[in-house]
Amino acid sequence: MRVSRTLDPMDEDFLRLDNQICFSLHAATRAFNGVYRGALKELGLTYPQYLVMLVLWEHGELPVKGIGERLRLDSGTLSPLLKRLEAAGYVERRRSAEDERSVTVRLTADGTALREKALGVPRRIAAATGLDLAELGELRERLHVLAARLDGVDPDDVAAACG
Amino acid sequence: MRVSRTLDPMDEDFLRLDNQICFSLHAATRAFNGVYRGALKELGLTYPQYLVMLVLWEHGELPVKGIGERLRLDSGTLSPLLKRLEAAGYVERRRSAEDERSVTVRLTADGTALREKALGVPRRIAAATGLDLAELGELRERLHVLAARLDGVDPDDVAAACG
DNA sequence: CGCGATTGAGTTGTGCACAACTTAATCGCG
DNA sequence: CGCGATTAAGTTGTGCACAACTCAATCGCG
């Protein structure tokens, strides 16, 4: 009963298009990472570390779980990353008093001060894209919708249909 | 002399927008990866391995360098990845006769056969995005332009302007 | 209250990305 | 031809993403 699907000549086109789309996304992300890498080197931050700092600059202080919710990252990724940010002197981690399971991450003076040096980064990145603010905003919106849609997909659905 | 730049109130807006854009791109890529992960599990492939297989299904046989050029990946990434694809029985690697520096990667019978099972994947992914072919094509084009633009940027330019 | 279920953080193991490096083969210029 | 420069692949080391797991603290229901 699934023969009609796997023999569909459209699938050939999909495979070709897929080649281009998934590669484009992959390549765009890595290109972005590369440009950020250059911009962030002087701050001593990697790109994911910069994301965490952005969140902390906005919220001041958050539990690890709160950072993870905002960046969709789990403790397996955040724990070592935060340990490195702490070693760099940009954040402090302290066990919460109310809930001993929770760890609160707070900016140090150095971490707060780093924001001043980071202010120039986004403008430079935006310039490198060659897009104006409106176009960047639209791209952001599209990617946001796409990510939300994909995050809502049941993995088993996709797996089941591709067996 | 750079005070006039770092005090520009626009930089505050850029930092906020940047927060959203770079996060959106990051999140979209990881969401895509997640959906592919589910779809590719039954094929025994990771997403980057799938990209390599797509290239090989199209070209049949390529030197490592040729794969790297098409996917913008270096030997540090490809060598171990190809070793795993070889261990899985999907490709063969053989030292080129004409140029002993080069290694030719070729599909095995299993690797070629795997394409049939992969044909159903992209359709399923496309469905998960909720976008039609035209929209996907447009997204691909935008990302392609963006990546090309960012790849062309001199890293030192960006670094210099963010000191 | 007491105990099983849940939750938050961390650890371990695998794979990818990339920088910096090594090694061996080829190229090309004098 | 000979030798320094370049090139292809591979290795090493760091950091991220994620799955699967541990452990301790908290929750919540009987």
Side-chain angles (χ1 to χ4, degrees), chain A residues 49-128:
Chain A
Q49 286 167 10
Y50 173 66
L51 292 178
V52 170
M53 293 302 284
L54 284 176
V55 169
L56 289 174
W57 285 327
E58 190 175 343
H59 293 88
E61 131 172 4
L62 279 173
V64 173
K65 181 177 167 46
I67 299 173
E69 280 167 355
R70 281 166 181 78
L71 299 180
R72 304 281 181 285
L73 292 172
D74 66 10
S75 68
T77 300
L78 284 175
S79 286
L81 188 157
L82 290 170
K83 210 179 291 185
R84 282 185 285 270
L85 280 181
E86 187 172 42
Y90 294 142
V91 306
E92 277 174 8
R93 293 183 303 157
R94 200 148 26 98
R95 217 90 217 177
S96 163
E98 310 92 65
D99 186 342
E100 291 270 332
R101 290 171 305 181
S102 178
V103 166
T104 301
V105 181
R106 220 154 44 97
L107 289 168
T108 61
D110 278 3
T112 304
L114 194 66
R115 184 172 184 276
E116 302 306 311
K117 289 179 68 179
L119 275 178
V121 172
R123 165 189 299 255
R124 217 35 217 177
I125 304 289

Side-chain angles (χ1 to χ4, degrees), chain B residues 81-99:
Chain B
L81 189 157
L82 290 170
K83 211 179 289 185
R84 282 186 283 271
L85 280 181
E86 187 172 43
Y90 294 141
V91 305
E92 277 173 9
R93 292 184 303 158
R94 201 149 24 99
R95 216 89 217 179
S96 163
E98 312 92 64
D99 186 343

Side-chain angles (χ1 to χ4, degrees), chain B residues 46 48-49 73 77 84 99-101:
Chain B
T46 65
Q49 286 167 10
L73 292 172
T77 300
R84 282 186 283 271
D99 186 343
E100 292 269 333
R101 290 171 305 179

